[in-house]
Amino acid sequence: MRIGYLSSNPASDTELALAAFRRRLRELGYAEGGNLVIDARYAEGQFAELPKLATDLVRIKVDVLFVYGTPASLAARNATKAIPIVFAGVNDPLAVGLVTNLRKPGGNVTGVTTNNSELSAKRLSLLKEAIPTASRVAVLANPDFKPTGAMLDQMRIASEPLGVELHVLEARTTPEVATAFARISSLKPHALVVMPDPWFLSQRAR
């Protein structure tokens, strides 16, 4: 069995998850060096590399593609309509067009999602519960990440009854992150929400 693994981010981001994945495969009777090969490809935050990496995995004829993150999942979907694709770390597979139905995804793509748009409102509610006096909240958002708009809409709906004023700052490049944090400092918010986004994950140390 040959499994192709594709991630938008560095290997260190999913090291523990892949270790658990390998452990469970061993329990099911699949062991690397025996009847299992895992070919991993990492874009290291360079999302433009994903189509090439996905095509490479298709070329070596993997039996299944295990993909982490929305950009990587879309690249895999565009690379093959025949090889089964299983995704994780995707915010809203329906909104980005990975599947046509959550109950019956159809095609060759399926997976697990936990970051749907409605959870954005819940995050703000939990923040308010943790810091009841918070009335001014900065939000770091990447407008180029397709699910961001829907997530912000849900957060704005939740903000009024919570008595929270949102200040949305956009960033899609490293210099824009620096500019956004400079503005955040001047705004003096009580808290910061960083929207779920693969690129922000790759920049989390910064």
Side-chain angles (χ1 to χ4, degrees), residues 94-145:
L94 198 59
V96 299
L98 277 174
V99 300
T100 56
N101 186 294
L102 292 179
R103 290 187 61 206
K104 297 180 179 179
N108 63 318
V109 183
T110 189
V112 179
T113 178
T114 54
N115 277 341
N116 57 37
S117 301
E118 290 78 9
L119 288 180
S120 296
K122 184 62 177 177
R123 288 187 189 94
L124 190 62
S125 174
L126 288 171
L127 189 151
K128 183 70 173 179
E129 187 177 329
I131 313 171
T133 57
S135 60
R136 190 168 58 254
V137 173
V139 181
L140 187 65
N142 177 5
D144 288 350
F145 185 50

Side-chain angles (χ1 to χ4, degrees), residues 156-189:
R156 288 186 177 107
I157 291 169
S159 66
E160 189 172 342
L162 289 172
V164 172
E165 179 185 357
L166 298 180
H167 296 268
V168 178
L169 300 105
E170 296 183 348
R172 56 176 73 78
T173 65
T174 301
E176 287 180 353
V177 169
T179 301
F181 272 93
R183 283 198 59 204
I184 290 168
S185 295
S186 64
L187 284 169
K188 301 190 186 316

Side-chain angles (χ1 to χ4, degrees), residues 45-131:
Q46 304 299 313
F47 295 167
E49 295 295 310
L50 286 168
K52 182 174 68 176
L53 297 174
T55 300
D56 183 45
L57 289 170
V58 170
R59 180 185 57 79
I60 63 175
K61 294 182 169 56
V62 295
D63 295 295
V64 62
L65 280 164
F66 178 34
V67 190
Y68 186 82
T70 300
S73 299
L74 291 170
R77 194 255 343 245
N78 292 338
T80 178
K81 296 293 187 289
I83 298 172
I85 298 168
V86 180
F87 62 75
V90 172
N91 179 70
D92 192 336
L94 198 59
V96 299
L98 277 174
V99 300
T100 56
N101 186 294
L102 292 179
R103 290 187 61 206
K104 297 180 179 179
N108 63 318
V109 183
T110 189
V112 179
T113 178
T114 54
N115 277 341
N116 57 37
S117 301
E118 290 78 9
L119 288 180
S120 296
K122 184 62 177 177
R123 288 187 189 94
L124 190 62
S125 174
L126 288 171
L127 189 151
K128 183 70 173 179
E129 187 177 329
I131 313 171

Side-chain angles (χ1 to χ4, degrees), residues 6-79:
L6 179 63
S7 174
S8 309
N9 299 319
S12 57
D13 283 1
T14 51
E15 187 176 0
L16 293 177
L18 269 183
F21 182 59
R22 287 183 166 98
R23 183 169 62 250
R24 181 58 180 150
L25 284 170
R26 286 195 299 272
E27 292 169 356
L28 295 171
Y30 296 95
E32 288 179 278
N35 60 350
L36 174 68
V37 174
I38 297 179
D39 288 297
R41 303 287 186 275
Y42 301 94
E44 304 282 340
Q46 304 299 313
F47 295 167
E49 295 295 310
L50 286 168
K52 182 174 68 176
L53 297 174
T55 300
D56 183 45
L57 289 170
V58 170
R59 180 185 57 79
I60 63 175
K61 294 182 169 56
V62 295
D63 295 295
V64 62
L65 280 164
F66 178 34
V67 190
Y68 186 82
T70 300
S73 299
L74 291 170
R77 194 255 343 245
N78 292 338

